[in-house]
Amino acid sequence: MTCALVVPAAGRGERLGAGLPKALVPLAGEPLLVHALRRALASGVVDVVVVVAPEGRQEHVRALLGPLGAADVRVVAGGAERQDSVRCGLAALPPGVDVVLVHDAARCLTPPAVFRAVVAAVRGGAVAVVPVLPVSDTVKRVAGDVVLETVDRRELVAVQTPQGFDPAPLRAAHEAARGATGAAPATDDAGMLEALGHRVRTVPGDDTAFKVTRPVDLVLAEALLSGGRA
Ligand code: CTP
Ligand code: MG
């Protein structure tokens, strides 16, 4: 049994606005990507790592990851959209993988237990697994500045990563999405399997698995780390 972790880390981090690719932005002195991978490896369930690196930063990323001591780390170049980057990562997987995890470098404080729970659910027979949390805000559908309706949030969850998959349907979904013209690029991988009719299962997510997206998220991450809470 081999579990492979694909880490899309090739985004520009425009909303964070730190002036360098988000995965390389320092948090308590280390890049977000290093924080993310350390926690993933500490789960004990990851055998192979494929990092999808920002443009022109492959060698830099390889050097960053050396000290983490993972047995098999591959670094590849990304694409224009997240889904392109994930597809590049999938192309670098070795044969014989029974679980693929896809995990955003930007969810850099995700605890090891979430990785273990997702892998266990895939090995228990699920085709696709996502960690989720209840939605705490009231959510409304709008058109411009006009509210159309308030959505019943008891039916809603917020979705995190790592997301776990049976490798063959994940690859098939990425190939299908690649051919789709005019469709908005997917923001998560499980959504691509849903679109093909696969059943996606949930496991409990974690508050510390939030995605560092805007400057305030980096402040929260620093506070959690310095307070020993992540
Ligand atoms: N990502 C990627 N390749 C892309 C775009 C995003 O590998 N072409 C990765 C990011 O590095 C991140 C994850 O996908 O780890 C989630 O994306 P997001 O939070 O949107 O990161 P960025 O695209 O970097 O941020 P922004 O959208 O603010 O520019
Ligand atoms: Mg983005």
Side-chain angles (χ1 to χ4, degrees):
M1 295 199 298
T2 302
C3 170
L5 171 68
V6 173
V7 182
R12 286 185 297 275
E14 277 166 10
R15 286 168 290 177
L16 192 59
L20 79 165
K22 187 158 71 182
L24 303 178
V25 169
L27 167 64
E30 288 183 314
L32 299 190
L33 174 64
V34 171
H35 286 279
L37 278 177
R38 188 180 294 116
R39 286 165 179 75
L41 293 169
S43 71
V45 295
V46 171
D47 303 297
V48 180
V49 176
V50 179
V51 175
V52 188
E55 177 108 49
R57 306 285 188 129
Q58 276 169 264
E59 282 316 310
H60 177 64
V61 165
R62 225 183 292 279
L64 280 177
L65 303 183
L68 293 175
D72 187 343
V73 179
R74 302 161 187 223
V75 180
V76 301
E81 301 290 344
R82 184 185 180 282
Q83 90 178 42
D84 302 313
S85 293
V86 173
R87 196 180 62 247
C88 294
L90 293 175
L93 293 182
V97 168
D98 73 313
V99 180
V100 177
L101 297 175
V102 181
H103 181 50
D104 293 332
R107 294 186 188 272
C108 56
L109 300 183
T110 305
V114 178
F115 291 84
R116 289 193 287 268
V118 171
V119 170
V122 176
R123 290 200 169 133
V127 170
V129 177
V130 296
V132 301
L133 286 179
V135 174
S136 51
D137 289 318
T138 296
V139 179
K140 297 184 193 291
R141 194 184 310 281
V142 297
D145 64 357
V146 176
V147 172
L148 300 179
E149 64 167 330
T150 301
V151 184
D152 183 353
R153 76 176 178 213
R154 291 171 302 182
E155 292 182 356
L156 299 181
V157 290
V159 179
Q160 304 180 322
T161 73
Q163 300 188 351
F165 303 95
D166 180 346
L170 177 63
R171 283 183 201 274
H174 271 274
E175 284 313 313
R178 182 183 198 172
T181 49
T187 54
D188 85 335
D189 299 279
M192 297 164 61
L193 276 84
E194 275 167 60
L196 295 182
H198 293 290
R199 184 185 291 262
V200 178
R201 298 275 183 184
T202 68
V203 296
D206 192 281
D207 283 333
T208 62
F210 65 90
K211 185 160 68 72
V212 172
T213 304
R214 297 179 184 83
V216 68
D217 300 317
L218 209 48
V219 175
L220 176 59
E222 296 265 16
L224 288 167
L225 278 177
S226 68
R229 306 281 296 276

